[in-house]
Amino acid sequence: MISSAFWRQRRVFVTGHTGFKGSWLSLMLQRLDARVTGYALAPPTTPSLYDLQDVSATLDDRRGDIADVEALRAAMVAAGPEIVIHMAAQPLVLRGYQDPVETYRVNVMGTVALLEAVRAAPSVRTVLVVTTDKCYENQEWAWGYRETDRLGGRDPYSNSKACAEHVVTAYARSFLAERGVRILTARAG
């Protein structure tokens, strides 16, 4: 059960809010009366759910590259969020083959940039980093993977998301736990 009382007027910073899943999340948070700041590039498709549902009318819309540490840090500090939900990504396996450098830049260094911004924002209490079920070492199993299964990925996209999982672990242990920031990942499919 989602507690509307919990989200009411809660400051939330969402990266990737112009994408399909980010738009739905932003709309849901708006219905729960959260105060949302979004940080992303322009919507990736035309038409887009973001434009069709006029998501920008429901939040503080900030545009920028997720891997731009300084711009992201400034936007996050200005927003003063309590909760950060990181959904910005290069989300396509095929594009990962076509442009592996960009895929790693966005998915790995974008996560590093996000966590550097969190380090600079004293208001942040909780961080959720959304990756993918493709972050596991592909065993060609007929069943689903468990959180205890080995991370890996044979292609640049999958591997970049496994790397992002490792980045989260390193930042949690090295910087954020000592500040009391809760950080977790969600491996969405």
Side-chain angles (χ1 to χ4, degrees), residues 14-92:
V14 177
T15 68
H17 71 290
T18 59
F20 185 73
K21 290 180 182 179
S23 291
W24 278 116
L25 174 64
S26 297
L27 289 168
M28 182 189 77
L29 290 169
Q30 181 270 332
R31 284 190 155 224
L32 294 169
D33 200 27
R35 293 171 44 200
V36 179
T37 298
Y39 185 90
L41 297 174
T45 61
T46 303
S48 68
L49 175 64
Y50 183 82
D51 290 328
L52 292 171
Q53 292 298 309
D54 198 22
V55 176
S56 65
T58 67
L59 50 73
D60 178 10
D61 181 19
R62 307 281 178 108
R63 297 299 169 93
D65 181 345
I66 192 64
D68 183 340
V69 177
E70 293 306 318
L72 181 56
R73 182 182 292 136
M76 189 176 296
V77 168
E82 297 171 63
I83 298 171
V84 174
I85 303 174
H86 178 46
M87 298 182 75
Q90 187 296 97
L92 303 172

Side-chain angles (χ1 to χ4, degrees), residues 26-177:
S26 297
L27 289 168
M28 182 189 77
L29 290 169
Q30 181 270 332
R31 284 190 155 224
L32 294 169
D33 200 27
R35 293 171 44 200
V36 179
T37 298
Y39 185 90
L41 297 174
T45 61
T46 303
S48 68
L49 175 64
Y50 183 82
D51 290 328
L52 292 171
Q53 292 298 309
D54 198 22
V55 176
S56 65
T58 67
L59 50 73
D60 178 10
D61 181 19
R62 307 281 178 108
R63 297 299 169 93
D65 181 345
I66 192 64
D68 183 340
V69 177
E70 293 306 318
L72 181 56
R73 182 182 292 136
M76 189 176 296
V77 168
E82 297 171 63
I83 298 171
V84 174
I85 303 174
H86 178 46
M87 298 182 75
Q90 187 296 97
L92 303 172
V93 173
L94 182 58
R95 190 178 301 157
Y97 281 110
Q98 294 166 343
D99 195 349
V101 172
E102 179 67 2
T103 298
Y104 281 103
R105 186 186 76 77
V106 171
N107 294 348
V108 180
M109 295 311 296
T111 302
V112 169
L114 175 94
L115 296 174
E116 280 295 307
V118 168
R119 287 181 67 197
S123 61
V124 176
R125 299 288 171 251
T126 304
V127 180
L128 172 62
V129 176
V130 179
T131 64
T132 177
D133 60 347
K134 303 219 177 354
C135 68
Y136 297 106
E137 184 67 41
N138 189 344
Q139 302 296 322
E140 302 295 336
W141 291 332
W143 57 86
Y145 293 93
R146 298 173 306 267
E147 289 185 14
T148 55
D149 287 336
R150 183 181 171 137
L151 296 175
R154 295 180 185 174
D155 62 90
Y157 167 74
S158 301
N159 186 265
S160 73
K161 290 306 219 167
C163 290
E165 292 272 349
H166 288 299
V167 166
V168 168
T169 299
Y171 268 78
R173 292 178 179 166
S174 299
F175 306 112
L176 301 177

